[in-house]
Amino acid sequence: MPRASLLCLLVLASSVQAGGGPESTLLVVNGRSPASRRIANEYRKLRSIPARNLLVLDRVPHDGVIDLAPFQELIWKPVAARLDGTIDLIAYSADFPYAVSFRKQLGKQRTQFNGGQASLTGFSYLYRQVEAGEPVWDVVTGQRRVRESNRYFRLGSPNNKPLSGEQRNLAMKANRLHREGKLAEARDAYAAFVAVAPGYGRVWVAYASCLAALGDADGAFRALDQAAARGFRQVNMVESDKAFRALEEDERWEPTLARIKTALAGLRETRGFRAAKAWNAAGEPVDDENSLHRYVLAVQLGYTGFRGNSVPEVVEYLRRSAGADGTKPDGTVYICRNNNVRSTAREQFFPALESALRARGRKVLLMPNTLIPKKCDDVIGAVVGTASFQWGPSGSRILPGAILEHLTSFGAHFGTAGQTKLTEFLRFGAAGSSGTVMEPLAIHLKFPNPLIHAFYADGCNLAEAFYQSVHGPYQLMVAGDGLCQPFATPPTFEVTAPAQPWTGRVTIEPKGEAEFEYWLDGARVGVGPSFELDVPDGEHDFRVVAVARDPIATQARKQFEIGGRARPPMRVVYGEPIRFETKGKVEVRYGSRVVATSGEVPSESVGPGPVRLIVLEDGRRSVLDVEVTEPPQARGHKEKVATVLGLAGTINDKEEVVVSSIGPRMTGPRLADRFKGRKDIQRLLLRGKFEALRPGLYQFNLLGRGAVEIKINGSSLGPSAPLRPQLYRTASLASGWHEIEIDYRPKGAVDLDLLLTGAQPGNRPRMGRVAPDVPAPSVNQARRGYYELSWGKRPKKAIGGLLLLPGKDAELKTGWKLDYRTTKGTRWKPVKNLRVLTIPSSRRPPKGKKAVPQAMELVFDEVKARYFLLTPAEPQKLGGVQVSR
């Protein structure tokens, strides 16, 4: 690459993150999936994640559920190798399994309580206990194991730190002044105490008493809310205090007493997260390298598989959430209470949530007899308890940065059709949601505690809020933008540095009330009040990160680009090579992967979207930003298609069949079932049409055994390639119907599944073949077993096929005879090249010689007929006849 002049540009004034940020985020991508790379590319740019923090995995099986052993070998092993103590958050991109099965490890110990499946994010978070074989799923023995598995959980015994001598004297002074009637001075002393030690509910009540005596009713109610939010429950102490009698006529008095009566004792202090720390039994961070209670936050950016979100939907909610950081949105958290066990299981925590949010100045509304908020335009959070819902018809608007979730058994079990998935919240703009991947029963320990919204309001990021709120996260999939932090208050600071360009050795001196870290190209190179940098040759990313000196450890950063990267990104169409000039030996890196050793990089190796490549040429580092755009869309056709016909197939280039659908493993008719027991199939050629519901870049996810080639509208999407077991192919398509041809060569038994993702939410494609608009015929069944089909007028379009729908007593027969004539008086003529294609009746193939197929299709040379005479070898009862083309 051309050598740029050495200069330094300040490109970001200050960005906000909690205890952890882009420098400590590991972005994990399925290297074989263009959709996974597309989402990862977008998220890397949105969050300024260093290029070295993009981990590309090549052997990711995408089958919904993966066994524990391959999960550890293919996914966790390379991830764990990257955990160097500076990674706080793992962000999995799309096309990863959503669940990990540990049924083999359970054996006979499997019960309805443990389920046998964990989430990808849950097992990643509890990685040390999983590696050690700890039964984190054991909820049978008094639920102790699950309670103990996550010590970062913020509900437990109070953890007020011992007071220093100065703090103790301040509390005693406030109490003495209060007793002496020096209320104004006592008020100031109480305010000074709670500013440095806010966790003492009794002091908040004394403070409220002082304020009430001074006539400050608003201040008194705020202080009482703070006491309730910190677990103060001794309502008798409040009722017996004469100073509060002036408040008894206020409409806020009774609700305040109710919140104190039901306050949740033991609410621990909200804390930011650092993976370098372990957590002790009191929920405090400690230095213990060997502890099993060191965790790493984990989220899945998006799930684009079956019943998931489309890639554009994922990109959109990630953009919204990134823009919400630090905005402190004026939204409301809605608590939906009803008689469903999904609501009653967490109802005991609703008063504590109300108190906690009011104490933090946040709006909260308890909605009795409600499933989801309706016609609410300021939803920043929702505690929902219902199995099934549709957000669109509710008329409610989700604000950027919002957390919404519902305690539902199958919220992230995408292999089941029942119950609304967490993807519904994300589809309408939530920053994050969660759901369990297996039947968890109504055990609230496995779901986020409603106080998640209090932790979020304190300024934590989304991942921190989730994992502070759930006792046993092993079955919980956390999805969305783990770095989203709308309520953060970042530290302010300035950086003193020499004028640019930087050369030689420079001194960086940040100024502000914070701790400071220094990062070069994604690696932490120093901490402290100042830093001396030996300016390296080439283009580099240098950052100064300020960490607030408080329990949440909110971060802000200033980012410098060394080496003059003030140039627009290169634009390349996906499928075309990325070319640049080189003069010497070169190595091009896309995250952890070397994608080229020359000045030409296949764009397919990096995926669509905003891509950052690191180029090492003769030891010099430079940065190449590329915008990989979607290719032109193939035109679709607006045709009427009889989808029941599925795809026409040819076995070994001679035997005709019909395949009704090629569903994914978790749903729909499968080829493995359709051809069960067939060992003679060397080649299966499938032809037909499928519908692209939305314009955009589509991804064909193929899973199975053997090799396959796909052609769309006559153009190959790539050479025939082995599945091993997953293969991805892409096509840029306009909406409408497109021709598809699948050339499949099995290896052993037939086993091929097809899932269509990308521009549309993950689903099996709607497939069929063209059916011209021909009116349905009338059918006359004679006694001797033939059927006469006739039209009032001869159809204008030629007919080349009939679809027969048998009745319940029908039998599959051979020896069909089909004749036609144009008018009533002409002679019957046999149709040419008659073939009978059979569609299976269900997911499982028919059994027995007299099994009834779902339908039989008669395909023949096209004729312009007004009458057809269909004669089976033996009489057969038919339920109806359709024209297929």
Side-chain angles (χ1 to χ4, degrees):
M1 293 191 64
R3 182 185 178 92
S5 62
L6 185 65
L7 50 89
C8 172
L9 299 176
L10 179 63
V11 295
L12 293 178
S14 182
S15 59
V16 185
Q17 293 300 331
E23 299 82 15
S24 56
T25 297
L26 183 65
L27 179 52
V28 188
V29 58
N30 181 344
R32 300 181 68 188
S33 163
S36 187
R37 292 194 295 266
R38 170 71 178 97
I39 292 169
N41 290 337
E42 188 71 35
Y43 193 66
R44 184 211 57 78
K45 182 179 180 181
L46 286 170
R47 290 299 183 182
S48 295
I49 295 173
R52 76 186 293 266
N53 287 12
L54 182 66
L55 177 62
V56 182
L57 304 184
D58 289 320
R59 300 168 61 200
V60 178
H62 178 54
D63 196 12
V65 181
I66 183 175
D67 284 339
L68 180 58
F71 160 72
Q72 292 177 316
E73 176 65 24
L74 304 178
I75 298 177
W76 185 250
K77 186 176 179 180
V79 170
R82 184 60 181 80
L83 301 183
D84 56 4
T86 66
I87 297 298
D88 296 323
L89 171 67
I90 300 170
Y92 291 102
S93 189
D95 281 336
F96 280 85
Y98 64 86
V100 181
S101 173
F102 54 93
R103 293 174 179 173
K104 294 179 182 178
Q105 286 71 26
L106 282 176
K108 295 182 180 179
Q109 295 179 345
R110 183 188 171 198
T111 69
Q112 61 177 336
F113 293 96
N114 54 45
Q117 283 187 183
S119 71
L120 175 69
T121 57
F123 261 15
S124 297
Y125 177 77
L126 299 170
Y127 74 100
R128 285 208 165 187
Q129 297 173 64
V130 174
E131 288 177 343
E134 284 288 299
V136 296
W137 48 80
D138 183 9
V139 295
V140 179
T141 58
Q143 300 176 349
R144 178 188 59 80
R145 183 79 65 177
V146 169
R147 287 184 184 275
E148 182 66 13
S149 68
N150 180 20
R151 291 178 175 178
Y152 183 51
F153 183 68
R154 306 319 294 159
L155 286 175
S157 57
N159 68 335
N160 288 323
K161 295 181 179 179
L163 297 176
S164 66
E166 183 180 353
Q167 292 171 333
R168 190 179 298 107
N169 290 336
L170 188 58
M172 293 173 63
K173 176 184 177 182
N175 186 261
R176 175 176 55 79
L177 292 171
H178 195 173
R179 291 198 312 270
E180 293 174 355
K182 299 177 181 179
L183 298 179
E185 295 176 65
R187 175 196 59 200
D188 295 340
Y190 281 129
F193 177 84
V194 297
V196 295
Y200 290 81
R202 284 177 176 267
V203 180
W204 280 107
V205 173
Y207 185 20
S209 175
C210 181
L211 292 170
L214 286 168
D216 184 0
D218 292 341
F221 279 116
R222 285 196 296 270
L224 288 174
D225 276 340
Q226 292 282 356
R230 284 156 176 79
F232 182 83
R233 304 182 67 178
Q234 300 178 28
V235 71
N236 292 337
M237 182 182 294
V238 178
E239 291 177 324
S240 62
D241 191 326
K242 295 179 180 179
F244 290 129
R245 290 180 181 174
L247 307 180
E248 292 178 354
E249 300 302 321
D250 194 298
E251 62 180 6
R252 293 172 288 182
W253 177 248
E254 290 300 329
T256 299
L257 288 183
R259 286 195 294 275
I260 293 174
K261 289 178 182 179
T262 56
L264 189 63
L267 181 59
R268 293 170 174 166
E269 186 177 40
T270 305
R271 283 191 175 275
F273 180 87
R274 280 298 173 95
K277 294 289 185 179
W279 298 83
N280 64 20
E284 291 292 325
V286 294
D287 293 318
D288 186 352
E289 175 64 31
N290 299 317
S291 173
L292 295 181
H293 295 280
R294 281 183 61 181
Y295 315 112
V296 60
L297 303 175
V299 299
Q300 202 156 358
L301 295 178
Y303 183 74
T304 57
F306 194 66
R307 303 187 177 96
N309 291 114
S310 68
V311 171
E313 286 174 346
V314 176
V315 170
E316 176 59 24
Y317 68 66
L318 291 176
R319 286 174 178 168
R320 281 169 51 94
S321 61
D325 284 357
T327 59
K328 294 181 171 58
D330 185 24
T332 301
V333 174
Y334 292 92
I335 307 173
C336 302
R337 184 173 66 188
N338 52 63
N339 293 328
N340 192 302
V341 67
R342 296 165 180 84
S343 174
T344 59
R346 295 191 290 185
E347 189 172 338
Q348 59 181 307
F349 303 108
F350 292 170
L353 175 59
E354 290 184 275
S355 296
L357 289 178
R358 288 193 173 95
R360 290 158 172 79
R362 288 279 310 281
K363 292 187 291 186
V364 57
L365 181 62
L366 179 66
M367 307 178 76
N369 303 316
T370 302
L371 297 179
I372 61 173
K374 292 186 177 180
K375 297 182 179 180
C376 302
D377 64 355
D378 65 340
V379 182
I380 193 61
V383 181
V384 177
T386 181
S388 302
F389 66 91
Q390 288 182 306
W391 187 266
S394 72
S396 293
R397 181 171 65 99
I398 298 176
L399 298 182
I403 290 177
L404 294 87
E405 50 80 35
H406 60 329
L407 189 151
T408 302
S409 297
F410 301 132
H413 193 336
F414 296 98
T416 61
Q419 305 184 354
T420 303
K421 309 306 173 189
L422 62 86
T423 46
E424 181 77 356
F425 291 124
L426 300 173
R427 178 168 293 113
F428 287 91
S433 188
S434 67
T436 51
V437 300
M438 191 69 181
E439 173 60 72
L441 304 181
I443 300 174
H444 70 81
L445 304 177
K446 298 182 178 184
F447 292 90
N449 188 284
L451 283 160
I452 182 178
H453 298 284
F455 307 139
Y456 205 37
D458 281 338
C460 288
N461 65 35
L462 185 141
E464 291 171 326
F466 266 105
Y467 285 102
Q468 286 180 98
S469 68
V470 58
H471 261 300
Y474 80 94
Q475 281 183 314
L476 190 73
M477 173 180 170
V478 180
D481 183 1
L483 292 176
C484 183
Q485 191 183 16
F487 299 101
T489 302
T492 57
F493 73 108
E494 297 297 331
V495 175
T496 300
Q500 53 188 336
W502 290 354
T503 58
R505 190 177 182 88
V506 300
T507 300
I508 311 296
E509 294 182 313
K511 295 180 180 179
E513 292 298 321
E515 305 292 337
F516 295 100
E517 300 176 351
Y518 308 92
W519 298 74
L520 180 65
D521 297 331
R524 189 167 61 194
V525 292
V527 296
S530 64
F531 182 72
E532 291 189 349
L533 173 67
D534 290 321
V535 180
D537 187 22
E539 298 176 351
H540 299 270
D541 175 359
F542 181 73
R543 306 183 189 191
V544 181
V545 178
V547 183
R549 295 172 178 150
D550 60 35
I552 297 178
T554 306
Q555 296 183 4
R557 58 196 32 79
K558 295 185 187 295
Q559 182 175 346
F560 300 85
E561 293 186 341
I562 302 173
R565 247 182 295 141
R567 54 181 178 269
M570 179 188 300
R571 295 182 67 87
V572 173
V573 175
Y574 184 67
E576 297 179 357
I578 303 168
R579 294 190 177 97
F580 57 92
E581 293 183 3
T582 62
K583 295 181 179 180
K585 185 178 181 181
V586 68
E587 180 180 277
V588 185
R589 288 186 170 272
Y590 169 71
S592 63
R593 172 194 282 179
V594 175
V595 291
T597 55
S598 68
E600 183 170 309
V601 180
S603 59
E604 296 91 338
S605 67
V606 298
V611 174
R612 172 156 290 184
L613 299 175
I614 304 301
V615 182
L616 302 175
E617 185 174 359
D618 294 329
R620 184 180 184 275
R621 184 183 190 273
S622 57
V623 176
L624 178 63
D625 287 321
V626 184
E627 186 68 36
V628 182
T629 61
E630 295 182 4
Q633 296 173 355
R635 183 179 177 182
H637 301 283
K638 307 297 183 182
E639 295 177 297
K640 190 173 182 180
V641 172
T643 56
V644 69
L645 296 182
L647 300 178
T650 304
I651 298 175
N652 299 335
D653 300 320
K654 57 183 180 180
E655 180 183 344
E656 301 281 352
V657 294
V658 167
V659 175
S660 58
S661 178
I662 311 175
R665 291 179 187 271
M666 59 184 69
T667 183
R670 298 175 51 198
L671 284 184
D673 297 324
R674 172 72 173 86
F675 299 106
K676 187 176 181 180
R678 293 287 300 265
K679 299 180 180 180
D680 62 319
I681 300 178
Q682 302 298 315
R683 184 189 186 195
L684 177 61
L685 186 64
L686 301 173
R687 303 171 304 277
K689 297 212 173 189
F690 79 97
E691 185 178 20
L693 300 177
R694 299 175 178 85
L697 192 64
Y698 279 79
Q699 180 168 293
F700 297 83
N701 301 354
L702 296 138
L703 184 68
R705 291 178 292 184
V708 70
E709 179 185 6
I710 292 184
K711 292 182 180 179
I712 302 297
N713 301 328
S715 298
S716 177
L717 303 185
S720 179
L723 294 168
R724 295 181 181 171
Q726 189 85 8
L727 181 66
Y728 301 92
R729 289 288 187 257
T730 58
S732 185
L733 305 172
S735 58
W737 289 88
H738 299 265
E739 296 177 357
I740 183 171
E741 180 177 295
I742 302 174
D743 190 347
Y744 172 52
R745 298 174 186 270
K747 184 177 181 180
V750 171
D751 185 11
L752 177 66
D753 299 335
L754 174 61
L755 184 70
L756 196 60
T757 62
Q760 69 178 34
N763 213 325
R764 60 178 181 268
R766 184 182 173 203
M767 290 184 170
R769 285 189 287 142
V770 180
D773 188 15
V774 178
S778 59
V779 182
N780 178 35
Q781 183 176 3
R783 290 184 179 180
R784 64 178 184 271
Y786 67 81
Y787 297 84
E788 186 173 329
L789 287 65
S790 62
W791 284 261
K793 294 182 179 179
R794 189 174 68 177
K796 295 181 180 179
K797 298 180 180 180
I799 300 170
L802 300 172
L803 178 66
L804 312 179
L805 304 177
K808 64 180 182 178
D809 299 325
E811 296 179 10
L812 177 59
K813 296 291 182 181
T814 58
W816 292 88
K817 182 183 178 185
L818 186 65
D819 300 291
Y820 77 97
R821 60 187 181 186
T822 56
T823 62
K824 193 71 172 177
T826 57
R827 298 178 61 181
W828 290 102
K829 300 178 182 179
V831 299
K832 295 181 180 180
N833 299 321
L834 175 64
R835 299 189 301 275
V836 179
L837 309 179
T838 304
I839 297 176
S841 59
S842 64
R843 178 171 178 173
R844 296 296 176 184
K847 297 181 180 180
K849 295 182 179 180
K850 295 185 178 181
V852 182
Q854 180 190 52
M856 288 179 288
E857 183 186 13
L858 284 74
V859 180
F860 45 86
D861 289 350
E862 293 183 345
V863 294
K864 289 186 176 180
R866 185 178 176 184
Y867 301 94
F868 280 101
L869 185 66
L870 175 64
T871 308
E874 297 181 19
Q876 185 176 32
K877 181 179 179 181
L878 295 178
V881 179
Q882 288 182 211
V883 176
S884 62
R885 89 176 155 200

